[in-house]
C-alpha cells in the first residue's frame, strides 16, 4: 500500500501510523461486509437439516436444485430447472422497469430542484426524503390498503364515476411496480440532483447559440454530461429492487414472487432451507457484481478515451 | 479573401445582407433586473449602431452592463424596453437558436464530452450540413486557429489558450453574421493575450465577420477595435475610434478610464463657447478647444506624455517621486498650489536630464494638448 504512494521520507515515516489509522475501516468492512458474505458462501455449500438448521457437511445440492431438474426421484438425466431462473428473470425485468420509471420521474424532479434558487433547494430535498422517516414495511402496508379493491383509490374513482367496478390493482405486477417505484424513487432523485447541481448551464446556452433545439440540447449535451448521476441513481434503484421482498410479498401476492421473496422464505418460512437460501443469495450477488463490473469497465474506458 | 466570399453567401433566419451598412442597431434599450426595492438598472437607454464587417468593442469597468448587452443581442436575456435589430430585422421574435449569431463565451463553455473536432462541428451539425461539408469546414477552422494537432482531444486535455481557440473556432465554424466575444482573452497570460489580439484581428479581417468584443481592458480595446463604445454604470459614455476616444474624450469618465491623464479643475474666465479661456493653478490663463457650455468652471484633461518637464518650464513645480517603467519614467510633480500632475518622459533620450525627488523644475504644455471636459 505504502509503495504505491509517492515515496519520500515523510510518507515512509508515517507509514506505520497509516496502517493503524486504516484499521477501524478494515475492521468494519471485514466484520460487517466480508464476514457475512463469507458465511453465506459457506452455508450455501452445506447440507440441509430437517428442522431448518444445517449439517456441517459439504454439498452441491442447493446449486443443483437451483439450476437443474433431475425429475421426481433424482434418477432422470438432468435438464435445466426453469422455476428459479424464471423468478430471477421476472425480478430482473421488474427491477429494470422500476429503474426506468424512477428515471423518467426522478430526472425531471431532480432538474426541477436543482434549478430552484439555492435557498429553496434544501426544502425540496427535505420533502423528497420525508417518507423515509416512516418504516418501509409500514409504508408498503399502507400502499396495500390504498390500492385494494375497496380501498380509497377505487372508492374515489367510483364515486367520481370514472369506474363502475373496482379496478384490481392489488396482487398484480402493477402493484409491485408501484411499490418499488415508491420505495426507491429518492435514490434516483438524489444522485441526479447532485450531478445537475454541478451542471454548467452555460453549456445549454452554448448549444442554443449553436442552433440546437431544446430537445436536441437535452439529448446531446445535458444527458451525457450528467450521465454519472443517472448511472449512480439507476444502480441505487436497480440493485435493491432486484432483491426487494416487501413490495412483491405484500403487494404482488403469491404469483408475483421476486428473488428477494424466495430468499426471505428460505430463511423465515416454515419449510425453510438455509443452504438453498444462501445459494440463491450468492447467485443474486454474482449477477449484481457482474452488472457493476460491466459498468466499472465502461466507465474506465470512457475515462481513458 | 476567398473565405470571406464564401461566408457572405450564407443566409439564415431569413436575414440577408443588404446594402445597409448597419449590422446591429440597438435602439433605446433599457434593462433592469428584479422589481420594487430590489430593482437594479443594468442598461439605461443604450443607442448604438455596429457597422457591417466592423470590429466593435464594448469597453467599461466591471458591472457596467457589457455582458448584459451582449446577452441581449445573443437572445439569452430579454430587453425591458427598446429594440435590437440585426441587418434591419427585429431580433425580439427570434429564439437564440434561430439567430445567425455565435458567441465566444467568457468561460468558453466547451462541451466536455465532445472532442475538439466535435465541438467545432457542433453548430454545422445542428444546421443539418452533410458530413463531408462539416469535416471540411472543421479542418479549415482548426487550421485557422492552429489546432490541427488537437482535433481528437477532449477540452479537459487542453491548455487555457487552446480552449480559448477551440471556443473561437466553434463560434466561427457556422459562419455567423455576427460574432459576440465576451472577454475571451481575460484568462490568458500576458504574452498569449498579446499574440491572440493580433490573431483575432487577423481572423476578423480574413473572414469579414462583424465582431462585437467585450472587454474591460483598455489596451485590448485600443489595439484591436475599429470603433469602441465606452460604458459606465449602464450608460453609454462615448462611441468612436480608438483615436477619437483617446484624443477627444467627451467627459471626465472617458478621459479617466482610457489611458492615463491629469484631470485638473479650472476656472473659465472668458473666450467663446467653443474656445473658452481657462485659468488653472498658478493663475496661468490660456485659450483652449472644447465646449464650456457657459459654465463658470470645468475640468481639463492633459495626457502625461503631452507635458514636458524641464528646468526652465513655464509652471514651477516640485518633483515628488519617480516611477520607472522601462521605456519611460513617470514623474509625479506638484504645482505651486499643490495640484498633483504626472509627467511622462521617454527614457534614453539625448536631452535626458535627471530629476530627483525634491528637485524644483517647471512643466510646459501646449494649449492644444488640453481638453475641456463636460463633467
Ligand atoms: N441575472 C441578474 N440578476 C440581477 N442582476 C444582474 C443579473 N445579471 C447582471 N446583473 C447586474 O447587472 C449589472 C451589469 O452586469 P453585467 O454582467 O452586464 O456586467 P459586466 O459589464 O459584464 O461586468 P464584468 O466586467 O464584471 O463582467 C451588474 O450590476 C449586475 O449585478
Ligand atoms: Mg461580463
Amino acid at each position: 500500500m505504502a509503495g504505491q504512494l509517492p515515496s519520500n521520507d515523510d510518507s515512509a515515516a508515517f507509514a506505520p501510523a497509516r496502517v493503524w489509522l486504516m484499521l477501524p475501516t478494515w475492521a468494519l468492512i471485514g466484520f460487517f461486509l466480508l464476514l457475512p458474505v463469507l458465511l453465506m458462501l459457506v452455508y450455501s455449500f452445506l447440507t440441509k437439516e430437517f428442522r431448518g438448521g444445517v449439517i456441517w457437511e459439504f454439498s452441491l445440492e442447493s446449486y443443483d436444485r437451483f439450476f437443474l431438474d433431475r425429475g421426481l426421484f433424482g434418477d432422470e438425466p438432468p435438464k435445466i430447472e426453469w422455476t428459479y431462473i424464471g423468478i430471477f428473470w421476472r425480478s430482473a425485468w421488474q427491477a429494470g422497469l422500476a429503474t426506468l420509471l424512477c428515471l423518467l420521474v426522478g430526472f425531471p424532479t431532480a432538474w426541477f430542484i436543482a434549478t430552484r434558487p439555492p435557498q429553496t433547494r434544501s426544502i425540496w430535498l427535505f420533502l423528497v426524503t420525508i417518507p423515509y422517516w416512516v418504516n418501509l414495511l409500514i409504508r408498503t402496508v399502507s400502499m396495500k390498503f390504498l390500492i385494494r379493491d375497496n380501498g380509497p383509490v377505487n372508492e374515489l374513482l367510483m364515486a367520481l364515476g370514472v369506474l363502475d367496478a373496482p379496478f384490481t390493482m392489488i396482487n398484480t405486477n402493477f402493484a409491485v411496480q408501484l411499490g418499488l417505484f415508491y420505495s426507491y424513487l429518492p435514490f434516483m432523485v438524489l444522485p441526479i440532483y447532485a450531478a445537475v447541481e454541478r451542471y454548467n448551464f452555460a453549456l445549454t446556452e452554448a448549444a442554443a447559440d449553436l442552433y440546437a433545439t431544446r430537445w436536441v440540447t437535452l439529448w446531446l449535451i445535458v444527458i451525457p454530461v450528467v450521465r454519472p448521476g443517472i448511472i449512480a441513481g439507476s444502480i441505487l434503484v436497480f440493485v435493491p429492487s432486484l432483491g426487494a421482498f416487501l413490495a412483491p410479498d405484500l403487494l404482488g401476492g403469491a404469483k408475483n414472487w421476486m428473488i428477494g421473496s424466495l430468499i426471505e422464505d428460505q430463511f423465515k418460512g416454515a419449510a425453510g432451507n438455509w443452504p438453498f437460501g444462501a445459494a440463491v443469495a450468492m447467485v443474486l450477488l454474482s449477477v449484481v457484481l457482474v452488472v457493476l463490473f460491466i459498468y466499472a469497465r465502461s466507465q474506465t474506458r470512457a475515462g481513458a478515451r | 479573401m476567398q473565405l470571406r466570399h464564401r461566408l457572405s453567401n450564407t443566409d439564415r433566419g431569413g436575414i440577408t445582407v443588404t446594402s445597409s451598412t448597419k449590422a446591429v442597431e440597438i435602439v433605446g434599450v433599457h434593462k433592469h433586473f428584479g422589481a420594487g426595492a430590489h430593482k437594479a438598472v443594468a442598461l439605461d437607454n443604450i443607442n448604438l449602431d455596429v457597422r457591417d464587417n466592423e470590429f466593435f468593442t464594448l469597453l467599461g469597468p466591471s458591472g457596467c452592463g457589457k455582458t448584459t448587452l451582449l446577452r441581449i443581442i445573443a437572445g439569452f436575456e430579454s430587453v425591458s424596453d427598446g429594440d435590437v435589430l440585426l441587418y434591419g430585422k427585429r431580433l425580439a421574435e427570434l429564439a437564440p437558436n434561430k439567430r445567425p449569431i455565435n458567441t465566444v463565451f467568457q468561460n468558453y463553455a466547451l462541451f466536455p464530452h465532445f472532442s475538439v473536432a466535435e465541438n467545432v462541428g457542433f453548430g454545422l451539425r445542428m444546421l443539418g450540413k452533410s458530413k463531408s461539408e462539416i469535416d471540411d469546414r472543421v479542418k479549415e477552422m482548426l487550421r485557422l486557429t492552429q489546432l490541427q494537432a488537437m482535433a481528437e482531444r477532449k477540452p479537459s486535455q487542453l491548455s487555457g489558450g487552446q480552449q480559448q481557440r477551440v471556443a473561437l473556432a466553434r463560434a466561427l465554424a457556422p459562419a455567423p453574421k455576427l460574432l459576440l466575444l465576451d472577454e475571451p482573452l481575460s484568462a490568458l497570460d500576458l504574452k498569449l493575450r498579446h499574440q491572440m489580439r493580433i490573431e483575432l484581428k487577423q481572423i476578423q479581417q480574413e473572414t469579414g465577420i462583424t465582431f462585437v468584443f467585450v472587454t474591460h481592458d483598455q489596451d485590448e480595446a485600443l489595439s484591436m477595435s475599429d470603433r469602441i463604445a465606452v460604458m459606465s454604470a449602464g450608460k453609454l459614455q462615448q462611441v468612436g475610434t480608438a483615436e477619437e476616444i483617446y484624443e477627444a474624450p467627451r467627459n471626465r469618465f472617458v478621459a479617466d478610464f482610457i489611458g492615463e491623464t491629469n484631470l485638473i479643475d479650472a476656472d473659465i474666465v472668458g473666450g467663446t463657447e467653443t474656445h473658452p479661456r481657462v485659468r488653472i493653478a498658478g493663475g496661468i490663463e490660456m485659450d483652449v478647444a472644447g465646449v464650456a457650455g457657459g459654465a463658470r468652471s470645468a475640468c481639463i484633461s492633459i495626457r502625461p506624455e503631452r507635458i514636458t518637464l524641464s528646468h526652465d518650464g513655464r509652471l514651477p513645480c516640485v518633483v515628488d517621486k519617480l516611477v520607472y517603467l522601462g521605456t519611460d519614467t513617470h514623474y509625479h510633480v506638484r504645482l505651486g498650489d499643490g495640484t498633483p500632475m504626472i509627467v511622462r518622459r521617454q527614457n534614453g533620450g539625448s536631452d535626458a536630464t535627471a530629476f530627483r525627488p525634491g528637485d524644483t523644475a517647471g512643466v510646459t504644455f501646449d494649449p492644444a494638448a488640453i481638453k475641456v471636459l463636460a463633467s
Side-chain angles (χ1 to χ4, degrees):
Chain A
M1 240 186 359
Q4 291 167 353
L5 294 161
S7 57
N8 56 43
D9 289 344
D10 270 2
S11 81
F14 283 118
R18 204 178 298 122
V19 170
W20 285 111
L21 287 172
M22 289 296 284
L23 207 62
T25 310
W26 284 115
L28 221 67
I29 291 175
F31 196 77
F32 290 112
L33 190 95
L34 295 178
L35 195 64
V37 170
L38 223 69
L39 221 64
M40 288 297 246
L41 187 66
V42 171
Y43 264 61
S44 73
F45 288 107
L46 294 180
T47 310
K48 174 191 177 231
E49 204 252 338
F50 283 111
R51 270 162 296 170
V54 289
I55 302 169
W56 283 81
E57 206 171 281
F58 179 81
S59 149
L60 280 174
E61 203 202 303
S62 301
Y63 290 96
D64 193 293
R65 180 174 161 200
F66 189 94
F67 289 111
L68 297 177
D69 174 9
R70 293 178 189 276
L72 210 51
F73 305 102
D75 50 2
E76 289 171 35
K79 289 181 297 209
I80 294 181
E81 167 66 77
W82 289 108
T83 316
Y84 303 114
I85 296 176
I87 293 178
F88 224 104
W89 175 241
R90 190 167 56 238
S91 304
W93 77 252
Q94 284 274 28
L97 192 62
T99 308
L100 194 69
L101 283 177
C102 284
L103 184 60
L104 287 179
V105 175
F107 186 86
T109 309
W111 186 271
F112 173 84
I113 298 174
T115 50
R116 291 314 95 191
Q119 315 88 277
T120 47
R121 279 180 211 162
S122 50
I123 299 173
W124 289 105
L125 285 177
F126 179 67
L127 287 177
V128 167
T129 51
I130 272 190
Y132 278 68
W133 296 91
V134 178
N135 183 285
L136 180 63
L137 178 65
I138 294 171
R139 279 184 288 141
T140 310
V141 171
S142 314
M143 179 73 82
K144 184 177 173 145
F145 279 100
L146 276 175
I147 63 171
R148 6 172 236 191
D149 286 358
N150 52 355
V153 172
N154 269 316
E155 305 259 274
L156 182 72
L157 287 176
M158 285 198 291
L160 288 173
V162 181
L163 295 175
D164 301 329
F167 174 69
T168 304
M169 289 178 278
I170 200 74
N171 296 346
T172 61
N173 280 337
F174 172 78
V176 178
Q177 276 305 311
L178 198 66
L180 292 177
F181 170 77
Y182 175 60
S183 307
Y184 300 119
L185 181 62
F187 292 156
M188 185 64 88
V189 173
L190 297 178
I192 297 182
Y193 164 78
V196 174
E197 206 203 7
R198 284 196 309 267
Y199 176 75
N200 175 9
F201 282 87
L203 296 181
T204 305
E205 289 186 347
D209 192 67
L210 294 161
Y211 317 108
T213 61
R214 283 157 173 266
W215 286 107
V216 170
T217 305
L218 176 69
W219 192 247
L220 289 182
I221 309 296
V222 175
I223 289 179
V225 171
V226 302
R227 203 180 71 124
I230 293 176
I231 289 176
S234 300
I235 289 176
L236 288 181
V237 172
F238 183 79
V239 171
S241 295
L242 193 60
F245 59 88
L246 278 179
D249 263 14
L250 294 171
L251 303 171
K255 295 195 313 291
N256 295 295
W257 260 30
M258 284 171 61
I259 203 77
S261 327
L262 178 64
I263 297 171
E264 187 214 6
D265 201 54
Q266 298 309 315
F267 285 98
K268 233 182 63 191
N273 183 341
W274 286 19
F276 183 62
V280 179
M282 289 324 289
V283 174
L284 178 63
L285 182 62
S286 320
V287 170
V288 167
L289 286 179
V290 167
V291 170
L292 289 180
F293 180 73
I294 291 170
Y295 164 63
R297 276 285 295 277
S298 76
Q299 278 305 91
T300 49
R301 221 175 311 131
R305 254 197 304 143
Chain B
M1 286 306 109
Q2 184 198 0
L3 190 62
R4 170 191 220 133
H5 174 70
R6 190 153 4 130
L7 291 171
S8 61
N9 283 334
T10 56
D11 170 27
R12 271 194 307 283
I15 291 168
T16 21
V17 179
T18 61
S19 57
S20 156
T21 51
K22 287 174 185 170
V24 184
E25 290 163 74
I26 292 166
V27 190
V29 164
H30 289 261
K31 175 72 188 177
H32 53 252
F33 292 101
H38 298 288
K39 181 164 154 175
V41 176
L43 294 175
D44 184 2
N45 193 25
I46 304 286
N47 287 285
L48 60 87
D49 296 336
V50 179
R51 297 178 193 141
D52 197 22
N53 291 355
E54 192 171 39
F55 196 120
F56 190 89
T57 299
L58 296 172
L59 174 67
S62 185
C64 71
K66 308 177 296 284
T67 298
T68 305
L69 187 54
L70 213 63
R71 289 172 59 80
I72 285 174
I73 300 173
F76 302 131
E77 212 84 71
S78 60
V79 294
S80 302
D81 194 17
D83 246 329
V84 180
L85 288 83
L86 184 68
Y87 293 98
K89 188 181 162 73
R90 286 188 68 218
L91 280 180
E93 301 124 35
L94 283 181
N97 62 340
K98 297 283 192 309
R99 301 185 184 196
I101 298 173
N102 288 149
T103 306
V104 178
F105 291 83
Q106 185 157 6
N107 300 316
Y108 315 144
L110 298 177
F111 305 127
H113 56 302
F114 284 160
S115 69
V116 167
E118 286 169 323
N119 264 284
V120 174
F122 188 81
L124 294 163
R125 192 173 150 201
M126 292 301 110
L127 289 172
K129 302 288 183 213
S130 72
K131 178 132 186 6
S132 64
E133 196 178 334
I134 296 175
D135 287 349
D136 289 351
R137 182 80 181 151
V138 167
K139 275 211 191 74
E140 193 182 340
M141 286 300 117
L142 293 181
R143 190 175 43 73
L144 190 71
T145 48
Q146 294 163 29
L147 286 164
Q148 295 104 314
M150 313 284 159
E152 294 314 314
R153 293 211 197 160
K154 288 281 168 67
S156 59
Q157 297 166 312
L158 300 177
S159 74
Q162 289 162 346
Q163 289 182 28
Q164 197 274 319
R165 288 204 290 249
V166 176
L168 183 64
R170 186 179 69 174
L172 282 170
K177 295 273 187 291
L178 178 68
L179 190 73
L180 307 176
L181 304 100
D182 193 355
E183 306 200 27
L185 308 184
S186 58
L188 309 182
D189 68 57
L190 193 66
K191 195 149 181 220
L192 198 56
R193 198 150 69 213
H194 284 174
Q195 187 190 332
M196 283 304 299
R197 280 183 199 172
I198 297 164
E199 283 179 25
L200 265 183
K201 181 76 189 169
Q202 209 171 342
I203 287 170
Q204 192 265 331
Q205 283 166 343
E206 260 174 54
T207 57
I209 293 174
T210 308
F211 275 34
V212 175
F213 184 92
V214 161
T215 183
H216 60 247
D217 180 334
Q218 42 146 326
D219 288 343
E220 219 162 88
L222 293 174
S223 63
M224 291 194 291
S225 323
D226 294 323
R227 285 191 310 145
I228 300 169
V230 182
M231 292 173 68
S232 154
K235 291 197 180 70
L236 204 59
Q237 301 296 333
Q238 187 171 1
V239 183
T241 62
E243 217 174 326
E244 281 166 6
I245 281 180
Y246 188 81
E247 298 294 345
R250 210 168 64 189
N251 59 31
R252 191 184 176 123
F253 176 83
V254 178
D256 199 20
F257 190 71
I258 310 289
E260 246 171 319
T261 196
N262 294 293
L263 294 171
I264 297 163
D265 290 321
D267 295 325
I268 295 173
V269 292
T272 63
E273 278 278 301
T274 51
H275 285 85
R277 186 169 182 81
V278 298
R279 183 196 291 142
I280 59 166
I284 293 199
E285 293 182 11
M286 45 183 96
D287 296 308
V288 297
V291 183
R296 305 275 313 136
S297 66
C299 177
I300 61 169
S301 155
I302 317 168
R303 299 282 180 196
E305 68 272 20
R306 302 290 294 270
I307 308 173
T308 46
L309 183 68
S310 58
H311 289 294
D312 52 359
R314 200 167 149 208
L315 277 171
C317 67
V318 180
V319 177
D320 257 354
K321 99 182 153 183
L322 313 185
V323 180
Y324 180 76
L325 293 169
T327 54
D328 12 54
T329 301
H330 279 183
Y331 290 83
H332 293 242
V333 303
R334 245 179 316 109
L335 300 185
D337 66 340
T339 308
M341 259 194 181
I342 297 174
V343 181
R344 174 187 280 188
R345 294 182 96 216
Q346 210 158 27
N347 290 326
S350 55
D351 68 333
T353 327
F355 290 97
R356 307 256 118 245
D359 288 358
T360 51
V363 291
T364 314
F365 39 82
D366 182 356
I370 296 180
K371 298 285 175 285
V372 178
L373 304 172
S375 36

